[in-house]
């Protein structure tokens, strides 16, 4: 190989690295959302396991549906590695559904239905812990929706970094 070919090869490697870096930056825009959806997945899984242990049919059914839906939302986000479309419609709908379910479950905690939904809530300490846990879930889902809105409108911090990085190839 002569000097010219070596330089050409180095330039090609640099361009490939630059393209890959941009791809990973676009994927990183959804990092917080991925983590929070994964948290919801494991929370729904735990609810399913506990409901199965206590034999709560409603809890098993609801936790299973929400768990499967969160898994589908997680897979949609994995597609962002190869897909630069900004919208993640399945995840957006899932987050709204999770917020509604959490709100209904929080209300259900203070009704006679709580034994059917959460049979393990046996005293007020556990009741208030579960209410706080569900309300935190609502806040996390709302934060994800806000983040998605920022991404859709290119108002997120990652977008600005990506644009600067695109202009300055290393």
């Amino acid at each position: 190989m002569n000097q010219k070919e070596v330089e050409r090869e180095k330039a090609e490697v640099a361009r490939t690295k630059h393209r890959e870096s941009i791809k990973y930056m676009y994927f990183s825009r959804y990092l917080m959302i991925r983590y929070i959806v994964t948290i919801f997945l494991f929370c729904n899984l735990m609810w399913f396991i506990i409901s199965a242990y206590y034999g709560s049919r409603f809890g098993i059914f609801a936790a299973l549906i929400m768990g499967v839906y969160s898994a589908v939302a997680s897979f949609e986000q994995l597609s962002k590695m190869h897909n630069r479309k900004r919208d993640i419609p399945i995840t957006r709908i899932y987050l709204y559904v999770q917020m509604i379910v959490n709100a209904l479950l929080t209300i259900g905690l203070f009704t006679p239905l709580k034994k059917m939904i959460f049979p393990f809530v046996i005293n007020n300490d556990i009741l208030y812990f579960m209410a706080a846990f569900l309300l935190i879930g609502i806040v996390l889902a709302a934060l994800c929706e806000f983040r998605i809105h920022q991404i859709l409108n290119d108002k997120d911090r990652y977008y600005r970094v990506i644009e600067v990085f695109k202009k300055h190839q290393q």
Side-chain angles (χ1 to χ4, degrees):
M1 282 185 125
N2 63 27
Q3 186 66 21
K4 219 176 213 182
E5 289 176 3
V6 170
E7 291 300 320
R8 196 171 348 154
E9 187 68 28
K10 282 183 182 180
E12 183 59 36
V13 168
R15 279 192 297 276
T16 301
K17 280 185 179 181
H18 192 259
R19 278 193 307 270
E20 289 296 312
S21 294
I22 290 171
K23 181 170 83 171
Y24 287 114
M25 285 177 167
Y26 274 106
F27 187 64
S28 294
R29 293 174 85 181
Y30 300 90
L31 190 64
M32 180 188 85
I33 299 162
R34 275 196 307 278
Y35 284 145
I36 291 175
V37 169
T38 303
I39 289 169
F40 286 141
L41 174 68
F42 284 105
C43 288
N44 287 320
L45 179 64
M46 284 303 300
W47 181 28
F48 174 76
I49 291 169
I50 292 169
S51 294
Y53 177 78
Y54 281 95
S56 169
R57 288 186 182 139
F58 176 80
I60 291 169
F61 182 70
L64 186 62
I65 288 173
M66 293 307 295
V68 168
Y69 200 7
S70 59
V72 171
S74 293
F75 284 122
E76 177 188 43
Q77 292 165 43
L78 289 177
S79 73
K80 290 288 135 197
M81 181 63 92
H82 307 289
N83 174 0
R84 287 223 186 131
K85 278 184 8 190
R86 290 180 295 205
D87 199 11
I88 44 178
I90 295 170
T91 302
R92 292 182 76 202
I93 294 169
Y94 164 72
L95 290 168
Y96 282 120
V97 169
Q98 187 71 59
M99 282 190 278
I100 292 166
V101 167
N102 280 19
L104 292 174
L105 290 174
T106 303
I107 293 167
L109 278 172
F110 298 99
T111 68
L113 296 174
K114 79 176 172 192
K115 290 293 181 198
M116 184 177 76
I117 302 168
F118 299 113
F120 54 89
V121 176
I122 54 175
N123 61 35
N124 280 342
D125 290 339
I126 297 172
L127 176 99
Y128 294 129
F129 173 78
M130 285 304 299
F133 194 72
L134 292 166
L135 292 173
I136 289 169
I138 292 170
V139 170
L140 288 175
L143 282 172
C144 286
E145 285 294 340
F146 176 73
R147 177 69 178 199
I148 293 169
H149 179 74
Q150 285 183 318
I151 291 170
L152 290 175
N153 294 311
D154 292 330
K155 301 287 184 197
D156 60 313
R157 182 176 47 96
Y158 278 104
Y159 181 74
R160 291 187 296 264
V161 171
I162 292 167
E163 289 304 306
V164 169
F165 190 74
K166 279 181 179 179
K167 291 177 185 171
H168 299 90
Q169 184 174 355
Q170 297 178 353

